[in-house]
Amino acid sequence: MPFRLLISLGLLCALLPLHHGAPGPDGSAPDPAHYRERVKAMFYHAYDSYLENAFPFDELRPLTCDGHDTWGSFSLTLIDALDTLLILGNVSEFQRVVEVLQDNVDFDIDVNASVFETNIRVVGGLLSAHLLSKKAGVEVEAGWPCSGPLLRMAEEAARKLLPAFQTPTGMPYGTVNLLHGVNPGETPVTCTAGIGTFIVEFATLSSLTGDPVFEDVARVALMRLWESRSDIGLVGNHIDVLTGKWVAQDAGIGAGVDSYFEYLVKGAILLQDKKLMAMFLEYNKAIRNYTRFDDWYLWVQMYKGTVSMPVFQSLEAYWPGLQSLIGDIDNAMRTFLNYYTVWKQFGGLPEFYNIPQGYTVEKREGYPLRPELIESAMYLYRATGDPTLLELGRDAVESIEKISKVECGFATIKDLRDHKLDNRMESFFLAETVKYLYLLFDPTNFIHNNGSTFDTVITPYGECILGAGGYIFNTEAHPIDPAALHCCQRLKEEQWEVEDLMREFYSLKRNRSKFQKKTMSSGPWEPPTRPGTLLSPENHDQARERKPAKQKVPLLSCPSQPFTSKLALLGQVFLDSS
């Protein structure tokens, strides 16, 4: 069987969904086609308003119809929206924006930038667009996906962040100057999410470029956080990256912590890493034991487990989606339905919601059009087909259009009680909120591919399969193709082993009769050598002996999941066969 077919079959069996539920034809579910077009219209109203009024600034100010820089002067909304364009099917605009970004974005600037935000929005956005370029009809250069202009831009941006990781603990500062590195007076206090949210982008970057430094620093930061957890297994909200001492000791799943947990799960799936998943599962036990009350999650003191804040934060709404990725569908749905009741109460999720009082928290009444509840709905709908999840999507479209839409885009809701607006449209509205809404209502989108179709590309390292599905979204909803990580760094020993097996098979087939006619004086038969090598029978045997006795699991294969937990990709659940 050809190697290409072996790989494609491996991906296919790894990605076939085990849940096939869909809403019945009882009329209760919103019409996906209708709302898909509504969402697309929302996107273009916001996107066109940005281009006309705000570009090249980072973000649009929709009430004054102008722009401003927020996270570093990168034309951030354009980078964040790029892969959404392709998901909506607009290949021509994708191609145009790729050229615009190459001509206009410069990272060699004297700007203090958020390490966390630059990574998830800029590095993540550029990596995703790079890996989707061929699907979007961009003429890619030789060696793609192991090279390309967007990959070089992502690498340049990531290198600007590396000085932040040069601390005694290996945990990064929160801010870095893109021209000069970390400012001498920079605060060493960083939130937990700002330390533990790099492995998806940085491991992808290391895999594509061959430079291990990115994945290495991300892993060190993850391990330092893990080693800093309390005796009861919880982490706080902010830590001093110079001393490793916790500054804010509130433990929960929301703001300042959220994407750390998210990246342990997504990093585990992306890299097939048992250790990362084991870390998350330990945290999950502690979170259930100390912070969960009636399917709500509160904030507690990280050392004692006593309740410190009985609130629900809108950022916590990602949690049901994360639960779906480990196959915990029942708990995910119960928590989701709790959060959905808050949405129904206000037409959006306030930043803070007092659970005992059932109302907003003072000065935290706003809704900046965040995506997290819609994100969870998308994951859970892929897993269950429950029409309730489409109803949330319908409610989100109706609410956002009614409350937030203005002449120049969509404005942040300053107060959900009276629907006052604020003069900001964050880039994540186009990167995440609209994207997850569209994917919720578009079941045949290429992002949902179950492995039945794929693309074959030739790289400097051999043949590679891309586009077979199982995309891993970074925390800014930029999809990463997990197969791409194997395109540019296939271990030479494994590559040679496959080549040896194939050559030996075909050589044996061709030379069987000659081989049988050889006399003893002819000497032993010598297997074919690798291209560019000269191996005698003796050193060929030595090379074989150097290989480890225990064979590695093939990089692209379909074994039972190595984790003891239930796993899923986009809600497609894999059950542990043991």
Side-chain angles (χ1 to χ4, degrees), residues 72 106-113 160 176-181 183:
D106 181 14
F107 299 115
D108 198 23
I109 51 178
D110 187 7
V111 167
N112 294 323
K160 294 289 187 178
V176 67
N177 185 281
L178 299 182
L179 197 60
H180 304 296
N183 290 324

Side-chain angles (χ1 to χ4, degrees), residues 79 101-102 105 107 126 148-158:
I79 295 175
L101 292 176
Q102 292 178 64
V105 175
F107 299 115
L126 291 171
L150 295 179
L151 177 60
R152 288 188 286 274
M153 289 176 68
E155 181 180 5
E156 182 185 359

Side-chain angles (χ1 to χ4, degrees), residues 56-79:
F57 291 103
D58 277 343
E59 291 180 351
L60 170 69
R61 297 202 303 175
L63 300 184
T64 51
C65 298
D66 56 9
H68 65 150
D69 284 331
T70 54
W71 296 111
S73 190
F74 305 129
S75 299
L76 188 59
T77 295
L78 208 56
I79 295 175

Side-chain angles (χ1 to χ4, degrees), residues 47 66 70 72 82 98 108 145 149 160 174 272 274 277 331 345 400 406-407 412 432 512 567 572:
Y47 180 77
D66 56 9
T70 54
L82 185 49
V98 167
D108 198 23
K160 294 289 187 178
Q272 291 292 287
K274 296 179 182 179
M277 182 57 70
N331 284 319
Q345 185 177 354
I400 292 171
V406 293
E407 183 179 353
T412 288
E432 300 184 79
R512 183 176 293 130
L567 286 182
Q572 298 168 13

